[in-house]
Amino acid sequence: IKIENTDILLYPNPNNGSFTVGIKSESETHGLLNITNSLGQNVVEEKVLLKEGSNQYQLQFNNLKSGFYFVSFVLNNSISTKKLIIE
């Protein structure tokens, strides 16, 4: 399974806790979507099913405080991460 950092899209970014994550995958697979805070603490962990091609997830986390977060996809011992800003 191949994913690359350039394949992860976060929009809008910055946002108020409501955003879309987009990722491309070369095949159908299960993975983990993690959101960690600036201290490296996991604040969200969700299992996801990625289809071959483009995938989009609408997420809403009104409980996240303003600050910097990192959104990661973990697939078969591979991690791709993007920075997220919540205002």
Side-chain angles (χ1 to χ4, degrees):
I1 308 292
K2 180 183 174 189
I3 60 172
E4 299 176 6
N5 280 342
T6 55
D7 290 335
I8 297 176
L9 302 173
L10 292 175
Y11 55 92
N13 193 16
N15 62 68
N16 62 0
S18 180
F19 58 97
T20 300
V21 177
I23 187 169
K24 293 180 184 176
S25 178
E26 289 187 348
S27 63
E28 185 173 306
T29 186
H30 287 88
L32 285 176
L33 169 67
N34 291 319
I35 300 177
T36 55
N37 63 20
S38 59
L39 301 175
Q41 300 166 320
N42 249 9
V43 293
V44 174
E45 183 175 288
E46 291 188 14
K47 291 183 180 181
V48 294
L49 172 63
L50 294 174
K51 303 174 296 184
E52 182 178 348
S54 295
N55 297 268
Q56 290 190 355
Y57 301 94
Q58 305 287 333
L59 302 173
Q60 187 162 352
F61 299 107
N62 296 329
N63 59 331
L64 294 180
K65 296 179 181 178
S66 297
F68 293 96
Y69 293 85
F70 297 93
V71 177
S72 302
F73 274 96
V74 181
L75 300 169
N76 298 334
N77 299 323
S78 174
I79 300 174
S80 293
T81 304
K82 287 280 186 169
K83 186 161 86 171
L84 172 70
I85 301 169
I86 295 183
E87 296 180 325

